[in-house]
Amino acid sequence: KAGVTQTPRYLIKTRGQQVTLSCSPISGHRSVSWYQQTPGQGLQFLFEYFSETQRNKGNFPGRFSGRQFSNSRSEMNVSTLELGDSALYLCASSYAGLNEQFFGPGTRLTVL
Amino acid sequence: QQPVQSPQAVILREGEDAVINCSSSKALYSVHWYRQKHGEAPVFLMILLKGGEQKGHEKISASFNEKKQQSSLYLTASQLSYSGTYFCGTESGTASKLTFGTGTRLQVTL
């Protein structure tokens, strides 16, 4: 069974730009969660999607948004990038909700 | 609020035991443990649910004290492969989301 895939793996952007990250969950998994990982803050929950609906959202500004498609693939968008958005963005999929989550390799975003 | 993990870092010799603690100020529904090796994605270790149910790998043991909102992960007879950063994630209230601690860095040496 193929694991969770994330594209792209690395991104370099400048302040003010926007970025879209993609996550393909394990086949059959309907829940996709997104996390931001930074050295100081650890893993911060961004949002969770289940069957194309956002069920939960973390404490991030509205510049962070996401969506999920009918095939469970998910995208995350960050608009008006700031230097502080530099981080590793991880997505995790599970069959449903907070069961065992399988993490993807992450997208390393650098904002210059 | 993030759960608090302790210790922040620990160095063990192979074969030694370690305990990693996770404490929350909120009433918890479940506690999840993950391990992340350097440059890799976090990997699931265990879920402990309110009421005593546990789901996880056989070689990992943990406890969940619901009254104290605390969980402990027990690593016995440590191996080099145990090295990595351990995260606890807590679920509280009705929101189906995990709040992770800042991690405990474990290094096992020969």
Side-chain angles (χ1 to χ4, degrees), chain B residues 7-100:
Chain B
Q8 289 185 319
V10 59
I11 300 175
L12 297 174
R13 289 190 181 275
E14 201 173 21
E16 292 182 334
D17 302 337
V19 180
I20 300 173
N21 301 301
C22 175
S23 180
S24 175
S25 60
K26 296 183 175 182
L28 300 177
Y29 178 76
S30 67
V31 179
H32 303 228
W33 287 95
Y34 285 80
R35 177 174 61 212
Q36 184 177 29
K37 294 181 180 288
H38 183 69
E40 299 181 9
V43 173
F44 168 81
L45 295 176
M46 176 167 283
I47 294 175
L48 300 105
L49 300 170
K50 187 176 179 179
E53 184 179 357
Q54 297 186 5
K55 305 177 187 177
H57 299 285
E58 295 177 359
K59 294 187 177 181
I60 300 289
S61 65
S63 65
F64 179 19
N65 186 324
E66 298 170 29
K67 289 184 179 179
K68 293 185 177 181
Q69 295 103 51
Q70 293 176 346
S71 177
S72 295
L73 185 70
Y74 304 99
L75 303 169
T76 57
S78 59
Q79 305 171 18
L80 295 176
S81 62
Y82 287 9
S83 294
T85 300
Y86 289 76
F87 293 97
C88 72
T90 57
E91 179 193 6
S92 58
T94 57
S96 181
K97 65 177 184 180
L98 288 181
T99 303
F100 281 95

Side-chain angles (χ1 to χ4, degrees), chain A residues 23-85:
Chain A
C23 171
S24 293
I26 290 172
S27 177
H29 285 189
R30 297 164 66 188
S31 171
V32 174
S33 296
W34 287 89
Y35 297 89
Q36 180 194 66
Q37 186 172 32
T38 56
Q41 296 297 319
L43 286 160
Q44 301 278 305
F45 173 79
L46 282 155
F47 26 66
E48 186 233 354
Y49 286 88
F50 183 85
S51 294
E52 302 179 65
T53 300
Q54 185 183 91
R55 291 201 300 188
N56 285 289
K57 192 176 190 303
N59 297 324
F60 279 82
R63 300 185 296 107
F64 292 81
S65 63
R67 58 178 177 170
Q68 186 180 34
F69 302 96
S70 58
N71 61 358
S72 293
R73 189 177 70 86
S74 178
E75 286 184 348
M76 188 190 106
N77 184 274
V78 188
S79 62
T80 319
L81 284 166
E82 300 177 359
L83 295 178
D85 297 334

